[in-house]
Amino acid sequence: MAARANRGDGSVGERPGLLKTIEGPGDLKEVEVADLPRLAEEIRDLLINSVAESKAGGHLGPNLGVVELTIALHRVFDSPHDKVLWDTGHQAYVHKMLTGRADAFGSLRQEGGLSGYPSQEESEHDLIENSHASTALSYADGLAKAFRLRGEAERTVVAVIGDGALTGGMAWEALNNIAAERDLPLIIVVNDNGRSYSPTIGGLARHLASLRMTQGYEHALEFVKDSLAKVPVLGSPFYETLHGVKKGLKDILAPQAMFEDLGLKYVGPIDGHDEQGVETALRKARGFRGPVIVHVITHKGHGYSPAENHDEDCFHAPQPFDPATGEERPRARGWTDVFSEEIVRIGGERPDIVAITAAMLHPVGLAAFAEAYPDRIHDVGIAEQHALTSAAGLALGGLHPVVAVYSTFLNRAFDQLLLDVALHRLPVTVVLDRAGVTGDDGPSHNGMWDMSILQVVPGLRLAAPRDGARLRELLAEAVEVSDGPTVVRYPKGPVAADIEAVGKLGEMDVLRAADPDVLLVAVGCMAETCMEAARLLDAQGISATVVDPRWVMPLDDALPLAAAAHKLVAVVEDNGRVGAVGDTVARALRDADVDVPVRTFGVPQTFLAHAKRAKILTEAGLTAQGLAREITEAVAKRSPVLTPHTTR
């Protein structure tokens, strides 16, 4: 490994050798072919050091696997005149380096620094952010059609799809449409590394795996010939017959069959780490001037043995680690760990509990469940829509499915949750990891939409645990529900310290009882912040009762009654403010004819730039000090009866 390039101060030291001469794709085209392996090594060194020392981690394994592929792409095509789209966008680090951003890699995923995905704000070479998989082919279809209609036939669109993205149904919808356009200048590069996070699951994955192991049907014929020749009498006639149906055998074994059946030209499979081989294939594909598949076989984590030998996910997105050994630095116990333990415990008591993941077995905490109950786990690939409707089928069959996904990916399966699960009042539990502000992954990964979109689903119950103990309780309660869907959501990061209730209001937990000034409704993990805000309000002579609804949908009937005993209601949530719990509380008070003002504190309804969760929450006013200040001002603006007490 080369000397460390990342100074750790948001910048990168002088780039080594060839890499420092590359300010854009034009420079790359001037590099001698014999020097390209050295350039690839320098890129890998910078990748490893940058991700290892980044305070926000990064996607290492996928990018180590596409170094030669990315070099070839930018030597063959003319970005940004030609458009290169990445699916998913976490494979685009090398692309960023080769388009003028190598010096900024010390700022990767940090506030004000490089995004972990392509970003229009960063470079003209980035067109789509595309952190949600399986969408690039649809973008590419429309973009290539636009170029054709505008008379820009010399421009080429290249969509690189990999890391399991081809398991998503939307990709196949796009392929179906692309195949109908014979003259569309569109190249689809299938970056086939056999993995998403973990090994890719499904029939397509098995087929591609067979193609990786089968370089051509002639090799298979030789194997069959050698094997059958050892069989007395039958061997030779069998071989002659087999040789006579050579075309049929080719259809079974050759890679092009799967894609050519769609009407797409096919080139490959190509060794993705043979830069010159990839260049040759891409130039051939460009010459077709129509839609073509280039099948490139790569190895996730290539060139860095700790990643190559990492069975779980080939260092897909490691936390900061020692670049010399690959050893990751310890992390605090997180919310996902609590869920992982509890679902295993529940699974031991309930044989009807089955679990579903969409290509994220380890990230969502289902690996331990899979190990304990291997016949009750289903990894559906990057297919959240299928996950929910398949869960509906499992529920119709008498089981209770638990679907664990990141909150941001639930957006993709809303229709299925609404009309396939809820309409039929099916007992499906959805567990939303990374709910609320996630920060480092940028705008598309913040789980700030779930409590808004879920409010419109009839019969759904939504729980937001405030700490680890409540996560265990609410998950256990959720899987007991038999007449409709349930959702349990929790944030990213270390699990909050347990906060015990001091009383009950209906089924709500009272965390702090006080004289009737302000009713603080603490949603989920915001409870700790609300408790501290209440203490700060005390210093201003304002008393605050703090309640945790536990189940925020449907709201407890006791909440309007409790609100009527106070002079101001403040709802605090780490969700977008529009249409979420705060709006639901205000509507519940109106419906109950409770004329008490409601203030909602939540995440601004905007696409948030990447930064640490704590920083984003601070800027949104979701800190104890920020809440206390806002509530104090709200109190001061009300009638004299709401003025701060002077005797307390």
Side-chain angles (χ1 to χ4, degrees), residues 175 309 366 548 558 584 626 633:
L175 279 172
N309 298 323
L366 284 177
D548 171 12
T584 304
E633 291 176 0

Side-chain angles (χ1 to χ4, degrees), residues 145 148 174-184 262-264 291:
K145 288 174 179 173
R148 184 175 61 186
L175 279 172
N176 183 53
N177 283 272
I178 290 168
E181 304 289 335
R182 300 297 183 185
D183 61 343
L184 207 59
L262 289 171
L264 293 166

